[in-house]
mmCIF file of all heavy atoms in Angstrom:
data_model
loop_
_atom_site.group_PDB
_atom_site.id
_atom_site.type_symbol
_atom_site.label_atom_id
_atom_site.label_comp_id
_atom_site.label_asym_id
_atom_site.label_seq_id
_atom_site.Cartn_x
_atom_site.Cartn_y
_atom_site.Cartn_z
ATOM 1 N N THR A 213 101.881 123.650 79.664
ATOM 2 C CA THR A 213 101.767 122.738 78.526
ATOM 3 C C THR A 213 103.148 122.446 77.977
ATOM 4 O O THR A 213 104.049 123.269 78.030
ATOM 5 C CB THR A 213 100.906 123.327 77.390
ATOM 6 O OG1 THR A 213 101.482 124.549 76.966
ATOM 7 C CG2 THR A 213 99.477 123.526 77.818
ATOM 8 N N LEU A 214 103.303 121.256 77.460
ATOM 9 C CA LEU A 214 104.502 120.843 76.746
ATOM 10 C C LEU A 214 103.999 120.020 75.576
ATOM 11 O O LEU A 214 103.312 119.012 75.777
ATOM 12 C CB LEU A 214 105.424 120.009 77.635
ATOM 13 C CG LEU A 214 106.689 119.488 76.976
ATOM 14 C CD1 LEU A 214 107.593 120.658 76.581
ATOM 15 C CD2 LEU A 214 107.428 118.566 77.912
ATOM 16 N N ASN A 215 104.298 120.452 74.360
ATOM 17 C CA ASN A 215 103.776 119.789 73.165
ATOM 18 C C ASN A 215 102.249 119.701 73.197
ATOM 19 O O ASN A 215 101.668 118.684 72.854
ATOM 20 C CB ASN A 215 104.392 118.393 72.996
ATOM 21 C CG ASN A 215 105.887 118.446 72.863
ATOM 22 O OD1 ASN A 215 106.428 119.396 72.301
ATOM 23 N ND2 ASN A 215 106.569 117.447 73.369
ATOM 24 N N ASN A 216 101.611 120.770 73.673
ATOM 25 C CA ASN A 216 100.150 120.878 73.779
ATOM 26 C C ASN A 216 99.532 119.834 74.705
ATOM 27 O O ASN A 216 98.365 119.507 74.575
ATOM 28 C CB ASN A 216 99.499 120.819 72.395
ATOM 29 C CG ASN A 216 99.815 122.046 71.579
ATOM 30 O OD1 ASN A 216 99.897 123.154 72.125
ATOM 31 N ND2 ASN A 216 100.007 121.870 70.295
ATOM 32 N N LYS A 217 100.304 119.284 75.636
ATOM 33 C CA LYS A 217 99.782 118.346 76.631
ATOM 34 C C LYS A 217 99.885 118.997 78.008
ATOM 35 O O LYS A 217 100.961 119.473 78.381
ATOM 36 C CB LYS A 217 100.554 117.033 76.617
ATOM 37 C CG LYS A 217 100.353 116.245 75.346
ATOM 38 C CD LYS A 217 101.076 114.924 75.412
ATOM 39 C CE LYS A 217 100.842 114.135 74.135
ATOM 40 N NZ LYS A 217 101.550 112.864 74.163
ATOM 41 N N PRO A 218 98.793 119.018 78.765
ATOM 42 C CA PRO A 218 98.851 119.665 80.080
ATOM 43 C C PRO A 218 99.709 118.868 81.062
ATOM 44 O O PRO A 218 99.719 117.641 81.055
ATOM 45 C CB PRO A 218 97.392 119.699 80.529
ATOM 46 C CG PRO A 218 96.698 118.670 79.723
ATOM 47 C CD PRO A 218 97.469 118.509 78.443
ATOM 48 N N GLN A 219 100.425 119.597 81.905
ATOM 49 C CA GLN A 219 101.248 118.985 82.940
ATOM 50 C C GLN A 219 101.304 119.929 84.123
ATOM 51 O O GLN A 219 101.013 121.112 84.002
ATOM 52 C CB GLN A 219 102.648 118.676 82.435
ATOM 53 C CG GLN A 219 103.442 119.905 82.036
ATOM 54 C CD GLN A 219 104.804 119.550 81.478
ATOM 55 O OE1 GLN A 219 104.981 118.505 80.887
ATOM 56 N NE2 GLN A 219 105.759 120.422 81.680
ATOM 57 N N THR A 220 101.692 119.402 85.270
ATOM 58 C CA THR A 220 101.834 120.207 86.471
ATOM 59 C C THR A 220 102.917 119.600 87.343
ATOM 60 O O THR A 220 103.304 118.441 87.157
ATOM 61 C CB THR A 220 100.496 120.303 87.238
ATOM 62 O OG1 THR A 220 100.608 121.284 88.256
ATOM 63 C CG2 THR A 220 100.098 118.970 87.862
ATOM 64 N N HIS A 221 103.415 120.367 88.299
ATOM 65 C CA HIS A 221 104.372 119.850 89.273
ATOM 66 C C HIS A 221 103.591 119.357 90.481
ATOM 67 O O HIS A 221 102.667 120.042 90.948
ATOM 68 C CB HIS A 221 105.348 120.940 89.709
ATOM 69 C CG HIS A 221 106.327 121.293 88.652
ATOM 70 N ND1 HIS A 221 106.053 122.190 87.644
ATOM 71 C CD2 HIS A 221 107.581 120.853 88.425
ATOM 72 C CE1 HIS A 221 107.099 122.301 86.849
ATOM 73 N NE2 HIS A 221 108.047 121.493 87.296
ATOM 74 N N ILE A 222 103.943 118.188 90.966
ATOM 75 C CA ILE A 222 103.330 117.670 92.185
ATOM 76 C C ILE A 222 104.425 117.284 93.168
ATOM 77 O O ILE A 222 105.560 117.009 92.770
ATOM 78 C CB ILE A 222 102.392 116.469 91.922
ATOM 79 C CG1 ILE A 222 103.142 115.300 91.279
ATOM 80 C CG2 ILE A 222 101.214 116.882 91.060
ATOM 81 C CD1 ILE A 222 102.307 114.041 91.144
ATOM 82 N N GLU A 223 104.071 117.289 94.444
ATOM 83 C CA GLU A 223 104.990 116.855 95.493
ATOM 84 C C GLU A 223 104.518 115.521 96.035
ATOM 85 O O GLU A 223 103.338 115.355 96.331
ATOM 86 C CB GLU A 223 105.025 117.868 96.643
ATOM 87 C CG GLU A 223 105.840 119.072 96.370
ATOM 88 C CD GLU A 223 106.043 119.930 97.608
ATOM 89 O OE1 GLU A 223 105.324 119.755 98.614
ATOM 90 O OE2 GLU A 223 106.926 120.786 97.562
ATOM 91 N N LEU A 224 105.438 114.592 96.164
ATOM 92 C CA LEU A 224 105.145 113.287 96.745
ATOM 93 C C LEU A 224 105.760 113.250 98.135
ATOM 94 O O LEU A 224 106.960 113.474 98.293
ATOM 95 C CB LEU A 224 105.734 112.177 95.871
ATOM 96 C CG LEU A 224 105.274 112.153 94.416
ATOM 97 C CD1 LEU A 224 106.011 111.068 93.651
ATOM 98 C CD2 LEU A 224 103.774 111.946 94.323
ATOM 99 N N ALA A 225 104.937 112.972 99.125
ATOM 100 C CA ALA A 225 105.405 112.855 100.508
ATOM 101 C C ALA A 225 105.340 111.383 100.902
ATOM 102 O O ALA A 225 104.438 110.650 100.475
ATOM 103 C CB ALA A 225 104.536 113.699 101.435
ATOM 104 N N PHE A 226 106.287 110.946 101.727
ATOM 105 C CA PHE A 226 106.425 109.524 102.027
ATOM 106 C C PHE A 226 106.490 109.252 103.520
ATOM 107 O O PHE A 226 106.998 110.059 104.292
ATOM 108 C CB PHE A 226 107.704 108.970 101.387
ATOM 109 C CG PHE A 226 107.732 109.104 99.896
ATOM 110 C CD1 PHE A 226 108.376 110.175 99.298
ATOM 111 C CD2 PHE A 226 107.112 108.173 99.090
ATOM 112 C CE1 PHE A 226 108.412 110.311 97.924
ATOM 113 C CE2 PHE A 226 107.136 108.301 97.712
ATOM 114 C CZ PHE A 226 107.784 109.366 97.133
ATOM 115 N N SER A 227 106.006 108.068 103.875
ATOM 116 C CA SER A 227 106.196 107.510 105.209
ATOM 117 C C SER A 227 106.217 105.992 105.048
ATOM 118 O O SER A 227 105.741 105.456 104.044
ATOM 119 C CB SER A 227 105.084 107.941 106.163
ATOM 120 O OG SER A 227 103.843 107.416 105.753
ATOM 121 N N CYS A 228 106.792 105.309 106.028
ATOM 122 C CA CYS A 228 106.862 103.843 106.009
ATOM 123 C C CYS A 228 106.441 103.319 107.374
ATOM 124 O O CYS A 228 106.596 104.001 108.377
ATOM 125 C CB CYS A 228 108.290 103.372 105.721
ATOM 126 S SG CYS A 228 108.986 103.932 104.161
ATOM 127 N N LYS A 229 105.960 102.097 107.388
ATOM 128 C CA LYS A 229 105.592 101.453 108.655
ATOM 129 C C LYS A 229 106.140 100.036 108.672
ATOM 130 O O LYS A 229 106.059 99.315 107.685
ATOM 131 C CB LYS A 229 104.080 101.415 108.821
ATOM 132 C CG LYS A 229 103.448 102.778 108.965
ATOM 133 C CD LYS A 229 102.121 102.674 109.673
ATOM 134 C CE LYS A 229 101.383 103.977 109.673
ATOM 135 N NZ LYS A 229 101.857 104.966 110.523
ATOM 136 N N GLY A 230 106.725 99.655 109.790
ATOM 137 C CA GLY A 230 107.174 98.287 109.986
ATOM 138 C C GLY A 230 108.333 97.862 109.108
ATOM 139 O O GLY A 230 108.361 96.715 108.657
ATOM 140 N N LEU A 231 109.286 98.762 108.877
ATOM 141 C CA LEU A 231 110.465 98.385 108.089
ATOM 142 C C LEU A 231 111.297 97.341 108.822
ATOM 143 O O LEU A 231 111.287 97.271 110.060
ATOM 144 C CB LEU A 231 111.332 99.615 107.811
ATOM 145 C CG LEU A 231 110.739 100.679 106.901
ATOM 146 C CD1 LEU A 231 111.680 101.880 106.817
ATOM 147 C CD2 LEU A 231 110.461 100.119 105.518
#
Side-chain angles (χ1 to χ4, degrees):
T213 58
L214 178 65
N215 300 327
N216 292 324
K217 293 183 179 179
Q219 63 183 30
T220 191
H221 288 84
I222 60 173
E223 282 190 345
L224 303 176
F226 300 96
S227 65
C228 301
K229 294 203 188 286
L231 293 176

